[in-house]
């Protein structure tokens, strides 16, 4: 039986970079799943690569068909954005191991769908001042920067990933992303051990 490793953390903790590094490690043999979102595509993203960018109607249709494995909604300053994983044939835990990026809620839903013995958490941390700086720098590169959304996301993360929430869902192991190479090495070592 394969494993689903769920990479989590507040915004701007480097999850995307850690994810890409881990996927690039051939010895880990991790597979990806392209998630879905109703948010607008960002500069530099491609449909079907980072996400499948779909309409709210498509999200609702998949929900009605019972094909949404996990879903989370962000109430942004420009409206609701939905992120979700669909039962669309991408996942076969009998044959392969996977790496996801998700939230605590997404992790819980995946665990409920596939089981606690299959779905394992990887929680990445960065100090708040560094996260805020990274978020502002990333937003500055957008065609139309939305700093209100940066602030909303930062404050929402304080609640969503509070110590109480981390404890409630059983997140005890944490990876400090102060040195990217060391962080990736530590996570990769744990993944290799957990796959055995």
């Amino acid at each position: 039986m394969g494993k689903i490793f769920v990479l989590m953390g507040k915004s701007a903790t480097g999850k995307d970079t850690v994810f890409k590094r881990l996927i690039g490690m051939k010895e880990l043999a991790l597979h990806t799943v392209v998630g879905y979102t109703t948010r607008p595509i960002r500069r530099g993203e491609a449909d079907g690569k980072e996400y499948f960018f779909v309409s709210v109607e498509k999200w609702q249709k998949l929900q009605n068909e019972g094909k949404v494995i996990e879903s989370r909604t962000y109430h942004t300053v420009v409206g609701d954005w939905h992120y979700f994983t669909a039962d669309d044939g991408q996942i076969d835990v009998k044959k392969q191991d996977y790496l996801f990026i998700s939230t605590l809620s997404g992790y819980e839903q995946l665990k409920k769908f596939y089981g606690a013995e299959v779905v394992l958490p990887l929680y990445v941390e960065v100090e708040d001042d560094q996260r805020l700086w990274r978020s502002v720098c990333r937003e500055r590169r957008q065609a139309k920067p939305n700093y209100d959304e940066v602030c909303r996301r930062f404050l929402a993360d304080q609640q969503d990933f509070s110590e109480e929430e981390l404890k409630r869902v059983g997140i005890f192991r944490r990876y400090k992303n102060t040195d990217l190479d060391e962080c990736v090495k530590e996570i990769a070592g744990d993944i290799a051990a957990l796959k055995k």
Side-chain angles (χ1 to χ4, degrees), residues 16-182:
D16 289 332
T17 305
V18 170
F19 178 88
K20 288 173 186 170
R21 290 271 195 100
L22 292 169
I23 288 297
M25 299 174 114
K26 301 296 183 199
E27 66 274 19
L28 293 179
L30 296 171
H31 293 81
T32 62
V33 173
V34 179
Y36 292 75
T37 185
T38 62
R39 78 155 165 78
I41 192 167
R42 293 178 183 151
R43 179 180 287 180
E45 291 180 326
D47 187 41
K49 186 177 178 191
E50 286 82 10
Y51 293 99
F52 291 113
F53 294 91
V54 298
S55 66
V56 171
E57 292 75 23
K58 173 76 172 180
W59 170 67
Q60 290 170 332
K61 181 178 185 289
L62 289 169
Q63 277 193 314
N64 292 339
E65 293 171 354
K67 293 190 175 182
V68 173
I69 295 170
E70 63 85 25
S71 178
R72 55 244 181 252
T73 300
Y74 298 99
H75 307 292
T76 77
V77 296
V78 293
D80 287 350
W81 291 348
H82 309 287
Y83 290 77
F84 61 99
T85 304
D87 188 5
D88 60 1
Q90 292 185 73
I91 303 169
D92 185 352
V93 292
K94 292 178 183 167
K95 297 181 180 178
Q96 301 175 141
D97 297 300
Y98 296 87
L99 181 63
F100 275 73
I101 296 178
S102 194
T103 61
L104 292 182
S105 171
Y107 163 68
E108 285 185 291
Q109 291 172 64
L110 285 164
K111 195 165 64 166
K112 184 177 180 183
F113 192 87
Y114 289 105
E117 67 284 351
V118 172
V119 181
L120 304 170
L122 304 168
Y123 186 73
V124 178
E125 291 184 317
V126 170
E127 293 299 324
D128 286 342
D129 60 340
Q130 185 65 32
R131 284 193 321 102
L132 186 56
W133 175 249
R134 288 179 183 182
S135 295
V136 169
C137 290
R138 180 174 63 190
E139 194 64 25
R140 190 180 293 150
R141 294 190 298 267
Q142 298 304 310
K144 291 183 180 179
N146 186 339
Y147 298 108
D148 288 349
E149 177 56 20
V150 168
C151 294
R152 185 213 60 82
R153 191 179 316 128
F154 183 85
L155 294 173
D157 279 348
Q158 298 300 88
Q159 288 184 315
D160 294 345
F161 292 97
S162 68
E163 289 301 317
E164 294 79 17
E165 280 298 291
L166 294 174
K167 186 176 179 182
R168 183 184 66 76
V169 301
I171 306 289
F172 300 106
R173 180 79 169 102
R174 301 169 190 223
Y175 303 91
K176 297 276 187 194
N177 192 8
T178 50
D179 179 305
L180 179 62
D181 291 333
E182 285 301 312

